[in-house]
Amino acid sequence: GKRDFVDNVDSVEVVDGVIKVDPANLNGRKVFVYLACAFRYGSEDLDVIGLSFRRDIWVKRVQVYPPVGGNSPNTPMQESLMKKVGDQGYPFSFQMPTDLPCSVSLQPGPNDAGKACGVDFEVKGYVANEPDNADEVIEKKDTCRLMIRKIQFAPTTNKAGPKADITKQFMMTDKPVHLEASLEKETYYHGDPITVNVKINNETSKIVKKIKVSVEQSTSVVLYSSDTYTKPVCTEEFGETINANSTFEKSFQIIPLLSNNKEKRGLAVDGRLKDEDTNLASTTLSQGQKEMQGIIISYKVKVNLIVSSGGDVTVELPLTLMSPKPAGECIAVHARGNYFLPGGAAYGVGGWGGGCTCARTHTQAPFLKR
């Protein structure tokens, strides 16, 4: 019914769907569906000696045909799909744990090929004798796969922004420079201007020549070892001069955008479906065990004073950068179609119609038809 599933920190939306099965061509085999969260740490084109550059963080498999007992009641979305599919429709659902990472990918370089590194989620239907037998070969024509996203939206309550200050004394001066910086609110949405309030009390005989305000993204890969990569995503220099023994107070605005960072290899971006546009990766909200999260994203705002005679004063502020929760449910008219397995078909969205009131931009024909 949809591609995006919301992580509310304490709970995750159920991934529910329907698969259509024609038993005539199964030849005694069964139909399974799995949901996998995987961390891809190398492009597929690097696989030259049979090594896999993909590690499954979490996998769950269910048998949909022949049906097994103890199935939970169908969701409204499944009931709607079952009416369209008919008697050959079989529902499936997955409940993801709350400690899985959200969909995120690392931006490839201009000359990189293959799928990007990062965390992705995949729903796959397949025909096999056993659900997970390493010795059983499952042909590509016996599978049907679909990428989904696990996403988080910004909290509905926005707290007051952080504040930080520093006092620094330079050699050959008996008095310091005092710098205070603050943000108006704790959480900012992608694409919104970030207002940074700056107060300076320069008690020295030196001159503050300019002010540099920047936003840095920190990407911590915690699946194997705690490697952290920090990249600037927005840097602005302001030619404000603060003379000796004077004070200064002003607000500056900066806007970190992915469109200004398209060439930065390894920058973390929110998971994308096919070639649709996305944005800088959202801040990872706390979710318990770090070992399960794969990639953790955080941001900080840095205010740097460039002082005459080679000195500088720097203060840092934590920044939460996320997408807002859509105002309402999507009421788009969905054009649906069947995508066949030998002996079965997964039922999904073939394209998006008009009349949608949600905040997301829908791609046309998100399924690739064979």
Side-chain angles (χ1 to χ4, degrees), residues 32-195:
F32 303 93
V33 180
Y34 84 23
L35 171 61
C37 171
F39 177 62
R40 182 180 292 106
Y41 54 94
S43 300
E44 292 177 346
D45 57 342
L46 297 176
D47 187 2
V48 292
I49 56 174
L51 295 176
S52 174
F53 289 89
R54 171 189 170 101
R55 174 174 170 178
D56 288 333
I57 302 174
W58 179 84
V59 179
K60 187 174 182 180
R61 293 175 172 85
V62 296
Q63 178 179 318
V64 294
Y65 187 87
V68 293
N71 292 332
S72 58
N74 292 342
T75 65
M77 177 59 69
Q78 289 171 330
E79 291 290 351
S80 177
L81 292 175
M82 294 283 282
K83 291 178 181 178
K84 295 178 180 294
V85 176
D87 294 338
Q88 294 183 339
Y90 295 88
F92 62 86
S93 62
F94 299 96
Q95 179 61 68
M96 286 187 276
T98 57
D99 55 0
L100 291 180
C102 288
S103 299
V104 61
S105 60
L106 303 182
Q107 185 167 259
N111 299 321
D112 290 343
K115 292 183 178 180
C117 300
V119 174
D120 60 35
F121 290 80
E122 177 187 65
V123 178
K124 184 171 81 170
Y126 60 100
V127 178
N129 292 307
E130 298 180 35
D132 184 24
N133 184 351
D135 297 328
E136 184 175 6
V137 178
I138 301 174
E139 297 185 26
K140 191 173 182 179
K141 65 182 181 64
D142 289 341
T143 66
C144 180
R145 60 182 59 200
L146 155 69
M147 303 304 296
I148 63 172
R149 288 187 294 201
K150 178 172 173 285
I151 57 177
Q152 286 180 328
F153 293 125
T156 54
T157 56
N158 206 344
K159 301 177 183 177
K163 180 186 293 186
D165 62 81
I166 188 174
T167 299
K168 185 172 181 179
Q169 191 162 343
F170 296 92
M171 294 180 62
M172 310 301 291
T173 61
D174 56 351
K175 291 188 177 180
V177 173
H178 181 76
L179 167 63
E180 179 185 296
S182 63
L183 301 179
E184 291 184 336
K185 52 188 179 180
E186 182 182 53
T187 303
Y188 285 85
Y189 300 148
H190 293 293
D192 285 355
I194 299 170
T195 302

Side-chain angles (χ1 to χ4, degrees), residues 3 274 349-352 363-368:
R3 295 280 197 130
K274 300 198 180 295
V349 179
W352 295 91
T363 57
Q364 294 297 318
F367 276 78
L368 179 63

Side-chain angles (χ1 to χ4, degrees), residues 268-290:
V269 300
D270 275 346
R272 55 160 59 93
L273 299 175
K274 300 198 180 295
D275 296 321
E276 73 176 39
D277 291 334
T278 186
N279 40 252
L280 294 168
S282 296
T283 300
T284 303
L285 299 181
S286 177
Q287 298 182 95
Q289 297 184 23
K290 287 187 176 182

